[in-house]
Coordinates of all heavy atoms in Angstrom, one line a residue:
M1 N -17.8 -20.5 9.6 CA -18.0 -19.1 10.1 C -16.7 -18.3 9.7 O -15.6 -18.7 10.2 CB -18.3 -19.0 11.6 CG -18.5 -17.7 12.1 SD -19.1 -17.9 13.8 CE -18.6 -16.4 14.5
S2 N -16.8 -17.2 9.0 CA -15.6 -16.4 8.6 C -15.6 -15.2 9.6 O -16.6 -14.7 10.0 CB -15.5 -16.0 7.2 OG -16.7 -15.1 7.0
T3 N -14.4 -14.8 9.8 CA -14.2 -13.6 10.6 C -13.6 -12.5 9.7 O -12.8 -12.8 8.8 CB -13.1 -13.9 11.8 OG1 -11.9 -14.2 11.2 CG2 -13.6 -14.9 12.8
V4 N -14.2 -11.3 10.1 CA -13.7 -10.1 9.3 C -12.6 -9.5 9.9 O -12.6 -9.2 11.1 CB -14.9 -9.1 9.1 CG1 -14.4 -7.9 8.3 CG2 -16.1 -9.8 8.4
A5 N -11.5 -9.3 9.2 CA -10.3 -8.7 9.8 C -10.5 -7.2 10.0 O -11.2 -6.6 9.2 CB -9.1 -8.8 8.8
P6 N -10.1 -6.6 11.1 CA -10.3 -5.1 11.3 C -9.6 -4.3 10.3 O -8.6 -4.9 9.7 CB -9.8 -5.0 12.8 CG -8.8 -6.1 12.9 CD -9.3 -7.2 12.1
H7 N -10.0 -3.1 10.1 CA -9.3 -2.2 9.3 C -8.0 -1.9 9.8 O -7.7 -2.0 11.0 CB -10.1 -0.9 9.1 CG -11.3 -1.0 8.2 ND1 -11.3 -1.5 7.0 CD2 -12.5 -0.5 8.4 CE1 -12.4 -1.4 6.3 NE2 -13.2 -0.8 7.3
I8 N -7.0 -1.7 8.9 CA -5.7 -1.2 9.3 C -5.9 0.2 10.0 O -6.7 1.0 9.5 CB -4.7 -1.1 8.1 CG1 -4.3 -2.5 7.7 CG2 -3.5 -0.2 8.4 CD1 -3.4 -2.7 6.6
A9 N -5.1 0.4 11.1 CA -5.2 1.6 11.8 C -4.0 2.5 11.5 O -2.9 2.0 11.0 CB -5.2 1.3 13.3
E10 N -4.1 3.8 11.8 CA -3.0 4.8 11.6 C -1.7 4.3 12.3 O -0.7 4.7 12.0 CB -3.4 6.1 11.8 CG -4.4 6.8 10.8 CD -4.7 8.3 10.8 OE1 -3.7 8.9 11.3 OE2 -5.7 8.7 10.4
S11 N -2.0 3.6 13.4 CA -0.8 3.3 14.3 C -0.1 2.0 13.8 O 1.0 1.7 14.2 CB -1.3 3.1 15.7 OG -2.2 2.1 15.8
D12 N -0.7 1.4 12.8 CA -0.1 0.1 12.3 C 1.1 0.4 11.4 O 1.3 1.5 10.9 CB -1.0 -0.6 11.5 CG -2.2 -1.4 12.3 OD1 -1.9 -1.5 13.5 OD2 -3.1 -1.6 11.7
R13 N 2.0 -0.6 11.3 CA 3.2 -0.5 10.5 C 3.3 -1.6 9.5 O 3.9 -2.6 9.7 CB 4.4 -0.5 11.4 CG 4.5 0.6 12.4 CD 5.8 0.5 13.2 NE 6.9 0.7 12.4 CZ 8.1 0.4 12.8 NH1 8.4 0.0 14.0 NH2 9.2 0.6 12.0
P14 N 2.4 -1.6 8.4 CA 2.3 -2.6 7.5 C 3.6 -2.8 6.8 O 4.5 -1.9 6.5 CB 1.2 -2.2 6.5 CG 1.1 -0.8 6.7 CD 1.6 -0.4 8.1
R15 N 3.8 -4.0 6.3 CA 5.0 -4.4 5.5 C 4.5 -5.4 4.4 O 3.5 -6.0 4.6 CB 6.2 -4.9 6.3 CG 5.8 -6.2 7.1 CD 6.8 -6.4 8.2 NE 6.6 -7.8 8.8 CZ 5.6 -7.9 9.7 NH1 4.8 -6.9 10.1 NH2 5.4 -9.2 10.2
L16 N 5.4 -5.6 3.4 CA 5.0 -6.5 2.4 C 5.0 -8.0 3.0 O 5.8 -8.3 3.8 CB 6.0 -6.5 1.1 CG 6.0 -5.3 0.4 CD1 7.2 -5.3 -0.7 CD2 4.7 -5.0 -0.3
A17 N 4.0 -8.7 2.5 CA 3.8 -10.0 3.1 C 5.1 -10.9 2.6 O 5.6 -10.6 1.6 CB 2.6 -10.7 2.6
P18 N 5.4 -12.0 3.3 CA 6.5 -12.8 2.8 C 6.3 -13.3 1.5 O 5.3 -13.7 1.0 CB 6.4 -14.0 3.9 CG 5.8 -13.4 5.0 CD 4.8 -12.4 4.6
G19 N 7.3 -13.2 0.6 CA 7.3 -13.6 -0.8 C 6.8 -12.6 -1.8 O 6.8 -12.8 -2.9
V20 N 6.3 -11.3 -1.2 CA 5.7 -10.3 -2.1 C 6.9 -9.3 -2.2 O 7.6 -8.9 -1.3 CB 4.6 -9.7 -1.4 CG1 4.0 -8.4 -2.3 CG2 3.4 -10.7 -1.3
M21 N 6.9 -8.8 -3.5 CA 7.9 -7.9 -3.9 C 7.4 -6.7 -4.7 O 6.5 -6.9 -5.5 CB 9.1 -8.4 -4.7 CG 9.8 -9.6 -4.1 SD 11.0 -10.4 -5.2 CE 9.8 -11.3 -6.3
L22 N 7.9 -5.5 -4.5 CA 7.5 -4.5 -5.3 C 8.5 -4.4 -6.5 O 9.7 -4.3 -6.3 CB 7.6 -3.1 -4.6 CG 7.2 -1.8 -5.3 CD1 5.8 -1.8 -5.8 CD2 7.5 -0.6 -4.4
R23 N 7.9 -4.5 -7.7 CA 8.7 -4.5 -8.9 C 8.3 -3.5 -9.9 O 7.0 -3.3 -10.2 CB 8.7 -5.9 -9.5 CG 9.4 -7.0 -8.7 CD 11.0 -6.8 -8.8 NE 11.6 -7.8 -8.0 CZ 12.4 -7.5 -7.0 NH1 12.5 -6.3 -6.5 NH2 13.0 -8.5 -6.4
N24 N 9.2 -3.0 -10.7 CA 9.1 -2.1 -11.8 C 9.2 -2.9 -13.1 O 10.3 -3.3 -13.4 CB 9.9 -0.9 -11.8 CG 9.6 0.1 -12.8 OD1 8.5 0.0 -13.6 ND2 10.3 1.1 -13.0
D25 N 8.2 -3.0 -13.9 CA 8.3 -3.6 -15.2 C 8.5 -2.4 -16.2 O 7.6 -1.8 -16.6 CB 7.0 -4.3 -15.7 CG 7.1 -5.0 -17.0 OD1 8.0 -4.7 -17.8 OD2 6.4 -5.9 -17.2
R26 N 9.8 -2.1 -16.4 CA 10.1 -1.0 -17.4 C 9.7 -1.1 -18.7 O 9.3 -0.1 -19.3 CB 11.7 -0.8 -17.2 CG 12.2 -0.4 -16.0 CD 13.6 0.1 -15.9 NE 14.0 0.6 -14.6 CZ 14.8 0.0 -13.8 NH1 15.5 -1.2 -14.2 NH2 15.2 0.6 -12.7
R27 N 9.7 -2.3 -19.3 CA 9.2 -2.4 -20.6 C 7.7 -2.1 -20.8 O 7.3 -1.4 -21.7 CB 9.3 -3.9 -21.1 CG 9.4 -4.1 -22.4 CD 10.1 -5.4 -22.9 NE 9.9 -6.6 -22.1 CZ 9.3 -7.7 -22.5 NH1 8.8 -7.9 -23.7 NH2 9.2 -8.7 -21.7
R28 N 6.9 -2.4 -19.8 CA 5.5 -2.0 -19.8 C 5.2 -0.7 -19.0 O 4.1 -0.1 -19.2 CB 4.7 -3.1 -19.1 CG 4.7 -4.4 -20.0 CD 3.7 -5.4 -19.4 NE 3.6 -6.6 -20.1 CZ 4.2 -7.6 -19.9 NH1 4.9 -7.8 -18.7 NH2 4.2 -8.7 -20.6
G29 N 6.2 -0.2 -18.4 CA 6.0 1.1 -17.6 C 5.0 0.9 -16.5 O 4.2 1.9 -16.2
Q30 N 5.1 -0.2 -15.8 CA 4.1 -0.5 -14.7 C 4.8 -0.9 -13.4 O 5.8 -1.7 -13.5 CB 3.2 -1.6 -15.1 CG 2.3 -1.4 -16.3 CD 1.4 -2.6 -16.6 OE1 1.9 -3.7 -16.6 NE2 0.2 -2.3 -17.0
W31 N 4.4 -0.4 -12.2 CA 4.8 -0.9 -11.0 C 3.9 -2.0 -10.6 O 2.6 -1.9 -10.9 CB 4.9 0.1 -10.0 CG 6.1 1.0 -10.2 CD1 6.2 2.1 -10.9 CD2 7.4 0.8 -9.5 NE1 7.5 2.6 -10.7 CE2 8.2 1.8 -9.9 CE3 7.8 -0.2 -8.7 CZ2 9.5 1.9 -9.5 CZ3 9.1 -0.1 -8.3 CH2 10.0 0.9 -8.7
M32 N 4.3 -3.1 -9.9 CA 3.5 -4.1 -9.4 C 3.9 -4.7 -8.2 O 5.1 -4.7 -7.8 CB 3.3 -5.2 -10.5 CG 4.6 -5.7 -10.9 SD 4.5 -6.7 -12.5 CE 4.3 -5.4 -13.7
L33 N 2.9 -5.4 -7.5 CA 3.3 -6.2 -6.3 C 3.2 -7.6 -6.9 O 2.2 -8.1 -7.4 CB 2.2 -6.0 -5.3 CG 2.3 -4.6 -4.5 CD1 1.2 -4.6 -3.4 CD2 3.7 -4.5 -3.8
M34 N 4.3 -8.3 -6.7 CA 4.4 -9.7 -7.2 C 4.6 -10.6 -6.0 O 5.4 -10.4 -5.2 CB 5.6 -9.9 -8.1 CG 5.5 -9.1 -9.4 SD 7.0 -9.2 -10.4 CE 7.1 -11.0 -10.7
G35 N 3.7 -11.7 -6.0 CA 3.8 -12.6 -5.0 C 3.6 -14.0 -5.6 O 3.5 -14.2 -6.8
P36 N 3.8 -15.1 -4.8 CA 3.7 -16.4 -5.3 C 2.3 -16.6 -6.0 O 1.3 -16.4 -5.4 CB 3.8 -17.3 -4.1 CG 4.5 -16.5 -3.0 CD 4.1 -15.1 -3.3
E37 N 2.3 -16.8 -7.3 CA 1.2 -17.2 -8.1 C 0.1 -16.0 -8.0 O -1.1 -16.2 -8.3 CB 0.5 -18.5 -7.6 CG 1.4 -19.6 -7.7 CD 0.7 -20.9 -7.3 OE1 -0.5 -20.9 -7.4 OE2 1.4 -21.8 -6.9
R38 N 0.6 -14.8 -7.9 CA -0.3 -13.6 -8.1 C 0.5 -12.3 -8.4 O 1.6 -12.3 -8.2 CB -1.1 -13.4 -6.8 CG -0.3 -13.0 -5.5 CD -1.2 -12.9 -4.4 NE -0.3 -12.6 -3.3 CZ -0.2 -13.3 -2.2 NH1 -0.7 -14.4 -2.1 NH2 0.6 -12.9 -1.2
L39 N -0.2 -11.3 -9.0 CA 0.4 -10.2 -9.4 C -0.7 -9.1 -9.3 O -1.9 -9.3 -9.7 CB 0.8 -10.3 -10.9 CG 1.3 -9.0 -11.6 CD1 2.8 -8.9 -11.5 CD2 0.8 -9.1 -13.0
L40 N -0.3 -7.9 -8.9 CA -1.2 -6.8 -8.8 C -0.6 -5.6 -9.4 O 0.5 -5.1 -8.8 CB -1.6 -6.5 -7.3 CG -2.5 -5.3 -7.2 CD1 -3.9 -5.5 -7.7 CD2 -2.6 -5.0 -5.7
V41 N -1.1 -5.1 -10.5 CA -0.5 -3.8 -11.2 C -1.1 -2.7 -10.4 O -2.2 -2.6 -10.1 CB -0.9 -3.7 -12.7 CG1 -0.4 -2.5 -13.3 CG2 -0.4 -4.9 -13.4
L42 N -0.2 -1.7 -10.0 CA -0.5 -0.6 -9.2 C -0.6 0.6 -10.1 O 0.2 0.9 -10.9 CB 0.6 -0.3 -8.2 CG 0.9 -1.5 -7.2 CD1 2.1 -1.1 -6.3 CD2 -0.2 -1.8 -6.3
D43 N -1.7 1.4 -9.8 CA -1.8 2.7 -10.5 C -1.0 3.6 -9.7 O -0.3 3.3 -8.8 CB -3.3 3.1 -10.6 CG -3.9 3.3 -9.3 OD1 -3.3 3.5 -8.2 OD2 -5.2 3.4 -9.2
E44 N -0.9 4.9 -10.2 CA -0.1 5.9 -9.5 C -0.4 6.2 -8.1 O 0.6 6.3 -7.2 CB -0.2 7.2 -10.3 CG 0.7 8.4 -9.9 CD 0.5 9.7 -10.6 OE1 0.2 9.7 -11.8 OE2 0.7 10.7 -10.0
M45 N -1.6 6.2 -7.8 CA -2.0 6.5 -6.4 C -1.6 5.3 -5.5 O -1.2 5.4 -4.4 CB -3.5 6.8 -6.2 CG -3.8 8.3 -6.8 SD -2.8 9.5 -6.2 CE -2.9 9.4 -4.5
A46 N -1.9 4.0 -5.9 CA -1.6 2.9 -5.1 C -0.1 2.7 -4.9 O 0.4 2.4 -3.8 CB -2.1 1.6 -5.8
L47 N 0.7 3.1 -5.9 CA 2.2 3.0 -5.8 C 2.6 4.0 -4.8 O 3.4 3.8 -3.9 CB 2.8 3.3 -7.1 CG 4.3 3.5 -7.1 CD1 5.0 2.1 -6.5 CD2 4.9 3.8 -8.4
A48 N 1.9 5.3 -4.8 CA 2.3 6.3 -3.8 C 2.0 5.8 -2.3 O 2.8 6.0 -1.4 CB 1.6 7.7 -4.1
V49 N 0.8 5.2 -2.2 CA 0.5 4.7 -0.9 C 1.4 3.6 -0.4 O 1.8 3.6 0.8 CB -1.1 4.2 -0.9 CG1 -1.3 3.4 0.4 CG2 -2.0 5.4 -1.1
V50 N 1.7 2.7 -1.2 CA 2.7 1.6 -0.8 C 4.0 2.2 -0.4 O 4.6 1.9 0.6 CB 2.9 0.5 -2.0 CG1 3.9 -0.4 -1.7 CG2 1.5 -0.1 -2.1
R51 N 4.5 3.2 -1.3 CA 5.8 3.8 -0.9 C 5.7 4.5 0.3 O 6.8 4.5 1.1 CB 6.2 4.7 -2.1 CG 6.7 3.8 -3.4 CD 7.2 4.8 -4.4 NE 8.0 4.1 -5.4 CZ 8.2 4.6 -6.6 NH1 7.9 5.9 -6.8 NH2 9.0 3.9 -7.4
A52 N 4.7 5.2 0.7 CA 4.6 6.1 1.8 C 4.3 5.3 3.0 O 4.6 5.8 4.1 CB 3.6 7.2 1.5
C53 N 3.5 4.2 2.9 CA 3.0 3.5 4.1 C 3.4 2.1 4.4 O 3.0 1.6 5.5 CB 1.5 3.6 4.1 SG 0.8 5.3 4.0
V54 N 4.1 1.5 3.5 CA 4.5 0.0 3.7 C 5.9 -0.1 3.7 O 6.6 0.4 2.8 CB 3.8 -0.7 2.6 CG1 4.3 -2.2 2.6 CG2 2.4 -0.6 2.6
G55 N 6.5 -0.8 4.7 CA 7.9 -1.1 4.7 C 8.5 -1.0 6.1 O 8.0 -0.5 7.0
P56 N 9.7 -1.6 6.2 CA 10.3 -1.7 7.6 C 10.8 -0.2 8.1 O 11.0 0.0 9.1 CB 11.5 -2.5 7.4 CG 11.7 -2.6 5.9 CD 10.4 -2.3 5.2
D57 N 11.0 0.7 7.1 CA 11.5 2.0 7.5 C 10.4 3.0 7.7 O 10.7 4.2 8.0 CB 12.5 2.5 6.4 CG 13.7 1.6 6.2 OD1 14.1 0.9 7.1 OD2 14.2 1.5 5.0
I58 N 9.2 2.6 7.6 CA 8.1 3.5 7.8 C 7.7 3.5 9.3 O 7.5 2.5 9.9 CB 6.8 3.0 7.0 CG1 7.2 2.8 5.5 CG2 5.7 4.0 7.1 CD1 7.6 4.1 4.8
A59 N 7.6 4.8 9.8 CA 7.2 4.9 11.3 C 5.8 4.3 11.5 O 5.8 3.5 12.4 CB 7.2 6.4 11.7
D60 N 4.8 4.7 10.8 CA 3.5 4.2 10.9 C 2.7 4.7 9.8 O 3.2 5.6 9.1 CB 2.8 4.4 12.3 CG 2.8 5.9 12.7 OD1 3.0 6.8 11.8 OD2 2.6 6.2 13.8
V61 N 1.4 4.2 9.7 CA 0.6 4.7 8.6 C 0.3 6.1 8.7 O 0.2 6.8 7.7 CB -0.8 3.8 8.6 CG1 -1.7 4.4 7.5 CG2 -0.4 2.4 8.3
A62 N 0.1 6.7 10.0 CA -0.1 8.1 10.1 C 0.9 9.0 9.5 O 0.6 10.0 8.9 CB -0.3 8.4 11.6
A63 N 2.1 8.7 9.6 CA 3.2 9.4 9.1 C 3.1 9.3 7.5 O 3.4 10.5 6.8 CB 4.7 8.9 9.5
G64 N 2.8 8.2 6.9 CA 2.6 8.1 5.5 C 1.4 9.0 5.0 O 1.6 9.7 4.0
I65 N 0.4 9.1 5.8 CA -0.8 9.8 5.4 C -0.4 11.3 5.5 O -0.7 12.0 4.6 CB -1.9 9.6 6.3 CG1 -2.5 8.1 6.1 CG2 -3.0 10.6 6.2 CD1 -3.5 7.7 7.1
D66 N 0.4 11.7 6.6 CA 0.8 13.1 6.6 C 1.6 13.5 5.4 O 1.4 14.6 4.7 CB 1.6 13.4 7.9 CG 0.8 13.2 9.1 OD1 -0.5 13.3 9.1 OD2 1.3 13.0 10.2
R67 N 2.6 12.6 5.0 CA 3.4 12.8 3.8 C 2.6 12.9 2.6 O 2.8 13.9 1.8 CB 4.4 11.7 3.7 CG 5.3 11.8 2.5 CD 6.3 10.7 2.5 NE 6.7 10.4 1.0 CZ 7.2 9.2 0.7 NH1 7.5 8.3 1.6 NH2 7.4 9.0 -0.5
L68 N 1.5 12.1 2.3 CA 0.8 12.1 1.2 C -0.1 13.4 1.1 O -0.3 13.9 0.1 CB -0.1 10.9 1.0 CG 0.7 9.6 0.8 CD1 -0.2 8.4 1.0 CD2 1.2 9.6 -0.6
S69 N -0.6 13.8 2.2 CA -1.4 14.9 2.4 C -0.6 16.2 1.9 O -1.2 17.1 1.2 CB -1.9 15.1 3.7 OG -2.8 16.3 3.9
V70 N 0.5 16.3 2.4 CA 1.4 17.4 1.9 C 1.7 17.4 0.4 O 1.7 18.3 -0.3 CB 2.7 17.5 2.8 CG1 3.6 18.5 2.3 CG2 2.2 17.9 4.3
E71 N 2.2 16.1 0.0 CA 2.7 15.9 -1.4 C 1.6 16.2 -2.3 O 1.8 16.8 -3.5 CB 3.1 14.5 -1.5 CG 3.7 14.1 -2.9 CD 4.3 12.7 -2.9 OE1 4.7 12.2 -1.9 OE2 4.2 12.1 -3.9
Y72 N 0.3 15.9 -2.0 CA -0.8 16.0 -3.0 C -1.6 17.2 -2.6 O -2.7 17.4 -3.2 CB -1.6 14.7 -3.1 CG -0.9 13.7 -3.8 CD1 -0.1 12.7 -3.1 CD2 -0.8 13.6 -5.2 CE1 0.6 11.7 -3.7 CE2 -0.1 12.6 -5.9 CZ 0.6 11.7 -5.2 OH 1.3 10.7 -5.8
D73 N -1.3 17.9 -1.6 CA -2.0 19.2 -1.2 C -3.5 18.9 -1.0 O -4.4 19.5 -1.7 CB -1.7 20.4 -2.1 CG -2.2 21.7 -1.6 OD1 -2.3 21.8 -0.4 OD2 -2.6 22.6 -2.4
A74 N -3.8 17.8 -0.3 CA -5.1 17.4 -0.2 C -5.5 17.3 1.4 O -4.6 17.1 2.2 CB -5.3 16.0 -0.7
P75 N -6.8 17.4 1.7 CA -7.1 17.4 3.1 C -6.8 16.0 3.7 O -7.0 15.0 3.1 CB -8.7 17.5 3.0 CG -9.0 18.2 1.7 CD -7.9 17.7 0.8
R76 N -6.2 16.1 4.8 CA -5.7 14.8 5.5 C -6.8 13.8 5.8 O -6.6 12.6 5.5 CB -5.1 15.2 6.9 CG -4.4 14.0 7.5 CD -3.7 14.3 8.8 NE -3.0 13.1 9.3 CZ -3.3 11.9 9.6 NH1 -4.7 11.7 9.6 NH2 -2.5 11.1 10.0
T77 N -8.0 14.3 6.2 CA -9.1 13.3 6.3 C -9.6 12.5 5.2 O -9.7 11.3 5.3 CB -10.3 14.0 7.0 OG1 -10.7 15.1 6.1 CG2 -10.1 14.7 8.4
E78 N -9.6 13.2 4.0 CA -9.9 12.4 2.8 C -8.8 11.4 2.4 O -9.0 10.3 2.1 CB -10.0 13.5 1.6 CG -11.2 14.3 1.7 CD -11.4 15.3 0.6 OE1 -10.8 15.0 -0.5 OE2 -12.2 16.2 0.8
I79 N -7.5 11.8 2.6 CA -6.4 11.0 2.3 C -6.4 9.8 3.2 O -6.2 8.6 2.8 CB -5.0 11.8 2.4 CG1 -4.9 12.9 1.4 CG2 -3.8 10.7 2.4 CD1 -4.4 12.5 0.0
A80 N -6.7 10.1 4.5 CA -6.6 9.0 5.5 C -7.6 7.9 5.2 O -7.3 6.7 5.3 CB -6.9 9.6 6.9
G81 N -8.9 8.4 4.8 CA -9.8 7.3 4.5 C -9.5 6.4 3.3 O -9.6 5.2 3.5
D82 N -9.0 7.1 2.3 CA -8.6 6.3 1.1 C -7.4 5.3 1.4 O -7.4 4.2 1.0 CB -8.2 7.2 0.0 CG -9.4 8.0 -0.6 OD1 -10.7 7.6 -0.3 OD2 -9.3 9.1 -1.3
V83 N -6.4 6.0 2.1 CA -5.3 5.1 2.4 C -5.6 3.9 3.3 O -5.2 2.8 3.0 CB -4.1 6.0 3.1 CG1 -3.0 5.1 3.7 CG2 -3.6 7.0 2.0
L84 N -6.3 4.1 4.4 CA -6.7 3.0 5.2 C -7.5 2.0 4.6 O -7.3 0.8 4.8 CB -7.4 3.5 6.5 CG -6.6 4.4 7.4 CD1 -7.4 5.1 8.5 CD2 -5.4 3.7 8.0
E85 N -8.4 2.4 3.6 CA -9.2 1.4 2.9 C -8.3 0.6 2.0 O -8.4 -0.6 1.8 CB -10.3 2.2 2.1 CG -11.2 1.2 1.3 CD -12.3 2.0 0.6 OE1 -12.7 3.1 1.0 OE2 -12.8 1.5 -0.4
M86 N -7.4 1.3 1.2 CA -6.5 0.6 0.2 C -5.7 -0.4 1.0 O -5.4 -1.5 0.5 CB -5.7 1.7 -0.5 CG -4.7 1.0 -1.5 SD -3.7 2.2 -2.4 CE -5.0 3.1 -3.3
L87 N -5.0 0.0 2.2 CA -4.1 -0.8 2.9 C -4.8 -2.0 3.4 O -4.3 -3.1 3.4 CB -3.3 -0.1 4.0 CG -2.4 0.9 3.5 CD1 -1.8 1.8 4.7 CD2 -1.3 0.3 2.7
T88 N -6.1 -1.9 3.9 CA -6.9 -2.9 4.4 C -7.2 -3.9 3.3 O -7.0 -5.2 3.4 CB -8.2 -2.4 5.1 OG1 -7.8 -1.6 6.2 CG2 -9.0 -3.6 5.4
D89 N -7.5 -3.4 2.1 CA -7.8 -4.3 0.9 C -6.5 -5.1 0.6 O -6.5 -6.3 0.3 CB -8.2 -3.4 -0.2 CG -8.7 -4.3 -1.4 OD1 -9.5 -5.2 -1.3 OD2 -8.2 -4.0 -2.5
L90 N -5.3 -4.4 0.6 CA -4.1 -5.0 0.2 C -3.8 -6.1 1.2 O -3.2 -7.2 0.9 CB -3.0 -4.1 0.2 CG -2.9 -3.1 -1.1 CD1 -1.8 -2.1 -1.0 CD2 -2.9 -3.9 -2.4
R91 N -4.0 -5.8 2.5 CA -3.8 -6.9 3.5 C -4.8 -8.1 3.4 O -4.4 -9.2 3.5 CB -4.0 -6.3 5.0 CG -3.5 -7.2 5.9 CD -4.3 -7.4 7.3 NE -5.7 -7.1 7.1 CZ -6.3 -6.2 7.9 NH1 -5.7 -5.6 8.9 NH2 -7.6 -5.9 7.9
N92 N -6.0 -7.7 3.1 CA -7.0 -8.8 2.9 C -6.7 -9.7 1.7 O -7.1 -10.9 1.8 CB -8.4 -8.2 2.9 CG -9.0 -7.7 4.2 OD1 -8.3 -7.9 5.1 ND2 -9.9 -6.8 4.1
K93 N -6.0 -9.1 0.7 CA -5.7 -10.0 -0.4 C -4.3 -10.6 -0.4 O -3.9 -11.3 -1.2 CB -5.6 -9.0 -1.7 CG -7.1 -8.5 -2.1 CD -7.0 -7.6 -3.2 CE -8.4 -7.3 -3.7 NZ -8.3 -6.3 -4.8
G94 N -3.6 -10.4 0.8 CA -2.4 -11.0 1.1 C -1.2 -10.4 0.6 O 0.0 -11.0 0.6
Y95 N -1.3 -9.2 0.2 CA -0.1 -8.4 -0.3 C 0.8 -7.7 0.9 O 1.9 -7.6 0.7 CB -0.4 -7.4 -1.4 CG -0.8 -8.0 -2.6 CD1 -2.2 -8.1 -2.9 CD2 0.1 -8.5 -3.5 CE1 -2.6 -8.8 -4.3 CE2 -0.3 -9.2 -4.7 CZ -1.6 -9.3 -5.0 OH -2.0 -9.9 -6.2
V96 N 0.1 -7.3 1.9 CA 0.8 -6.8 3.0 C 0.3 -7.4 4.4 O -0.7 -8.1 4.3 CB 0.6 -5.2 3.2 CG1 1.0 -4.5 1.9 CG2 -0.9 -4.9 3.5
V97 N 1.1 -7.3 5.4 CA 0.8 -7.8 6.6 C 1.1 -6.8 7.7 O 1.8 -5.8 7.4 CB 1.7 -9.1 7.0 CG1 1.3 -10.2 6.1 CG2 3.1 -8.8 7.1
T98 N 0.3 -6.9 8.8 CA 0.5 -5.9 9.9 C 1.1 -6.5 11.2 O 1.2 -7.7 11.3 CB -0.7 -5.2 10.3 OG1 -1.8 -6.2 10.5 CG2 -1.2 -4.3 9.3

């Protein structure tokens, strides 16, 4: 029997999972999350979400959503849904922890 992890909440403070690093491959012009035996290439939006919402210096996901909403001049509710879904997916794949 498998259990489904709950979605990440705006009050959470996700950080990179142990052994996972955010790296820039300058030769290829790509940012990626690198972990033991795995690699995830980030597109521009995923990179923005990771930078705004993941890390020890981040207040919480809500602050990151607010920042992204202003930066991209987009409705907060739309940004929030996309960000929470992306962070939950990254957590479920083992790239971030809460």
Side-chain angles (χ1 to χ4, degrees):
M1 182 170 153
S2 66
T3 58
V4 176
H7 282 316
I8 286 183
E10 288 192 28
S11 59
D12 287 338
R13 298 180 64 190
R15 59 195 184 286
L16 293 178
V20 174
M21 300 175 287
L22 177 63
R23 291 286 183 246
N24 183 9
D25 183 341
R26 289 189 176 115
R27 203 160 32 121
R28 292 186 179 103
Q30 298 175 323
W31 282 90
M32 57 194 73
L33 291 175
M34 295 176 57
E37 300 183 23
R38 64 180 181 248
L39 172 97
L40 179 67
V41 175
L42 302 175
D43 63 16
E44 182 181 330
M45 290 309 302
L47 176 61
V49 169
V50 168
R51 285 182 166 166
C53 299
V54 177
D57 299 329
I58 305 300
D60 57 17
V61 173
I65 291 170
D66 292 340
R67 178 177 147 197
L68 291 167
S69 178
V70 170
E71 185 175 330
Y72 290 95
D73 192 26
R76 189 186 188 288
T77 54
E78 288 179 25
I79 296 274
D82 293 343
V83 165
L84 294 173
E85 182 178 334
M86 181 181 298
L87 290 173
T88 299
D89 187 51
L90 288 174
R91 191 223 23 237
N92 291 346
K93 290 179 178 175
Y95 290 100
V96 300
V97 294
T98 51

